[in-house]
Amino acid sequence: MIRMVVNDQLRETKLHAATPIVDFLRSELKLCGTKIGCREGDCGACTIIAGFLQGNKIIYRSMASCIMPLINGQAKHIITIEGINLPQKELNPIQEAFIAVNAVQCGFCTPGFIMSLTAYALSEIEKTPQNAINSVAGNVCRCTGYKSIEKAVLQVNDLLQEMPTEFDAKIKWLVSHNILPSYFNDVKEMLQSIRSETSLTGNTQATIVAGGTDALVQRPEELLEEQISAIADIAQFKGTEIKDNKIWIGAATTVDEFCQNKEIAKHIPKIKDYLKLVSSPQIRNMATVAGNFANGSPIGDLSVMFLCLDTTLVLSQDGKKREMPLKDFFVGYKKVNKAENELIEQIYFPIPSANAHFSFEKISKRVHLDMATVNSAVSLKMESGKMEDVKIAIGGLGPTIRNMEKTCDFLNGKEISDETFTKANEIAQAEITPRSRANYKRLLVRQQLFLHLRGIAPDALSLEVLK
């Protein structure tokens, strides 16, 4: 039995654990304000808000319900568009903002936008115009341009400027300003009443599902025939800590949790900018770091990044653990070096040194929220003006992500210069074997290598070397 609070009521269901939560909401609870669009987490029409207890507060995040397995709603507060309606059925200020600036046309996408903005209001994120716009980055409107929607978003952001940041005070403020209905004052107690009754299992004999963002896209029907073991909320697979001069990350830590970690930001200052290229807020709030590895994709953005961070995986099966360098994990297209019932429990990488540089580049059809055509990452140290410990990983060139060992060997001990780049590119071109659109991908490799090196030493490379 799966139990959760949906809007203002405690709900339970015997539906299969892998059922997309949008189907539970629409078919079983008849909450049809949550729309079904792409069923791949791309359009945002199905956006809901999920809240989970953390200490004495509830953490609320927007999520894509079309690829969220039902089991991941266990002991959470699930909010749909119906759940923010006021008792008198009047519009709340977020809904009114959309009407006021004509940000609604056919209306199909509107519930998703409203839910993303409500999640933004509930979040700890600083209330700035750019953060408000970023909160709806995963919502697509197909009717027209976005200027009217942007106006509504900025109007909502203005409304939130006086909101307190402490959780209980924030909820009371949102309720008193009719942004949330009054039942929100009682949700914490409702969740506490079912939390003690809830235990998730890490049964490794079953199909292991963490965020589900890839599994529910690739094989949703198959999962409904299998026993599911959910690990997304198991404490041993969560969290980030620094010990033994290494950064340790629980396998089920979400991309957003990794992105928002202040310790990570100290050592990889641009990590938030890089991860905005990877997926929408709804997906980053669900997808796990290790899930990107386990997927085995040759264009996995996090896989490319973590390969350059000298990452090691801690795998476990039946109580036995072993470690494996991430560079040895990918063995073929969508094939990884682990037993069927073995799972990634933790990952770790050395804390980058003070003279370390890390960068990530990605080319895709859209700048944001799209699969890469070619992506790459570079990490290196600058010692007395020369590059040392160079690591380069490139995705999109074949069945697995490529570690550019020969190119790295050449760059070690060299200064960044036009001559160095030209020779490094020659070696890189000989080292890669693109399987499709070869000339185009070779060009992208050259451009990305240039951007990586120029980002480290802007004055050392000229544009002339690209002619």
Side-chain angles (χ1 to χ4, degrees):
M1 185 72 71
I2 299 172
R3 307 188 76 202
M4 66 188 75
V5 177
V6 179
N7 296 329
D8 60 347
Q9 296 182 46
L10 179 63
R11 300 285 193 172
E12 57 184 35
T13 179
K14 293 182 179 179
L15 286 176
H16 192 279
T19 303
I21 206 164
V22 69
D23 294 329
F24 167 63
L25 296 172
R26 290 177 58 88
S27 300
E28 190 160 310
L29 301 187
K30 308 304 179 186
L31 297 171
C32 296
T34 304
K35 305 303 181 185
I36 298 176
C38 63
R39 278 201 183 270
E40 294 185 352
D42 284 340
C43 71
C46 71
T47 301
I48 59 169
I49 302 171
F52 56 92
L53 280 170
Q54 187 177 90
N56 198 38
K57 63 181 180 179
I58 305 174
I59 304 297
Y60 284 105
R61 296 286 185 267
S62 61
M63 297 190 181
S65 62
C66 68
I67 53 173
M68 179 181 179
L70 186 60
I71 189 62
N72 284 354
Q74 177 86 304
K76 289 187 174 69
H77 182 205
I78 303 299
I79 310 166
T80 70
I81 189 73
E82 294 87 350
I84 62 169
N85 289 338
L86 300 176
Q88 297 79 21
K89 296 186 178 180
E90 57 187 319
L91 297 179
N92 71 29
I94 296 178
Q95 295 164 326
E96 286 179 341
F98 272 68
I99 299 297
V101 297
N102 300 308
V104 176
Q105 289 205 29
C106 81
F108 188 84
C109 71
T110 305
F113 276 98
I114 299 297
M115 296 311 293
S116 289
L117 272 174
T118 304
Y120 171 67
L122 283 162
S123 74
E124 310 84 7
I125 298 171
E126 184 183 1
K127 301 303 183 276
T128 67
Q130 189 56 56
N131 284 342
I133 292 171
N134 289 344
S135 74
V136 296
N139 295 87
V140 175
C141 171
R142 290 185 171 90
C143 288
T144 184
Y146 286 83
K147 276 302 168 185
S148 58
I149 294 173
E150 184 178 303
K151 289 178 183 177
V153 169
L154 295 176
Q155 192 176 116
V156 171
N157 188 67
D158 289 342
L159 289 173
L160 301 175
Q161 293 308 302
E162 302 301 320
M163 183 178 64
T165 56
E166 192 274 327
F167 176 76
D168 288 328
K170 178 195 300 182
I171 295 296
K172 290 178 181 178
W173 189 92
L174 290 168
V175 170
S176 68
H177 286 73
N178 288 329
I179 294 173
L180 295 177
S182 60
Y183 78 82
F184 270 79
N185 288 318
D186 304 318
V187 171
K188 189 194 301 184
E189 186 177 339
M190 296 172 71
L191 288 181
Q192 288 170 339
S193 72
I194 61 173
R195 180 171 60 173
S196 61
E197 302 170 15
T198 302
S199 61
L200 301 177
T201 176
N203 175 14
T204 56
Q205 299 306 309
T207 299
I208 300 164
V209 174
T213 54
D214 185 69
L216 265 71
V217 173
Q218 299 296 330
R219 52 191 200 96
E221 293 86 2
E222 294 175 40
L223 289 176
L224 293 174
E225 302 296 326
E226 300 172 7
Q227 182 185 355
I228 300 299
S229 177
I231 65 168
D233 296 310
I234 297 179
Q236 75 182 84
F237 299 117
K238 301 287 285 184
T240 300
E241 66 173 331
I242 293 179
K243 63 179 181 180
D244 303 328
N245 205 37
K246 298 180 180 69
I247 296 175
W248 294 75
I249 304 167
T253 299
T254 67
V255 175
D256 182 71
E257 289 166 345
F258 174 74
C259 175
Q260 299 298 332
N261 188 283
K262 293 180 180 179
E263 287 297 323
I264 300 295
K266 287 180 185 177
H267 301 292
I268 311 176
K270 292 185 178 180
I271 190 64
K272 288 187 179 182
D273 295 331
Y274 298 147
L275 291 176
K276 284 178 184 176
L277 300 173
V278 171
S279 58
S280 69
Q282 293 94 319
I283 302 301
R284 293 197 299 269
N285 290 333
M286 300 163 60
T288 63
V289 173
N292 197 259
F293 308 156
N295 182 34
S297 170
I299 51 171
D301 293 314
L302 267 69
S303 298
V304 167
M305 292 183 201
F306 277 81
L307 274 167
C308 283
L309 293 171
D310 200 18
T311 300
T312 298
L313 310 180
V314 180
L315 299 106
S316 64
Q317 182 180 24
D318 299 328
K320 298 179 181 180
K321 296 184 180 183
R322 67 184 179 113
E323 296 189 0
M324 177 187 299
L326 181 59
K327 63 182 179 65
D328 297 333
F329 190 62
F330 306 111
V331 295
Y333 180 72
K334 293 276 188 175
K335 293 181 179 179
V336 294
N337 185 13
K338 76 176 187 67
E340 183 177 356
N341 294 318
E342 194 173 27
L343 68 123
I344 305 169
E345 188 170 305
Q346 281 186 309
I347 66 174
Y348 67 85
F349 57 89
I351 294 177
S353 62
N355 60 349
H357 296 267
F358 176 84
S359 63
F360 173 74
E361 294 287 342
K362 176 178 179 177
I363 297 294
S364 52
K365 291 182 179 179
R366 299 191 305 264
V367 175
H368 298 93
L369 320 183
D370 199 8
M371 294 186 296
T373 302
V374 171
N375 52 7
S376 61
V378 167
S379 68
L380 58 84
K381 301 173 186 175
M382 293 300 294
E383 299 277 5
S384 302
K386 296 183 179 180
M387 294 175 281
E388 301 292 347
D389 197 20
V390 181
K391 294 181 178 63
I392 303 174
I394 301 180
L397 302 178
T400 62
I401 297 167
R402 294 294 303 271
N403 288 297
M404 306 293 285
E405 295 177 358
K406 294 179 181 179
T407 308
C408 293
D409 288 343
F410 168 76
L411 289 173
N412 278 319
K414 303 291 194 307
E415 295 180 350
I416 297 176
S417 66
D418 285 359
E419 183 181 357
T420 298
F421 165 75
T422 301
K423 182 60 178 177
N425 180 58
E426 290 177 6
I427 296 170
Q429 296 299 329
E431 195 169 5
I432 62 176
T433 52
R435 290 192 168 190
S436 62
R437 295 180 288 174
N439 291 338
Y440 175 56
K441 290 190 174 183
R442 287 184 180 279
L443 176 63
L444 295 184
V445 169
R446 183 188 74 158
Q447 302 298 85
Q448 290 189 18
L449 179 60
F450 177 83
L451 290 172
H452 286 300
L453 296 180
R454 202 167 197 238
I456 297 168
D459 299 326
L461 290 179
S462 69
L463 294 174
E464 296 299 316
V465 297
L466 293 178
K467 294 182 179 180

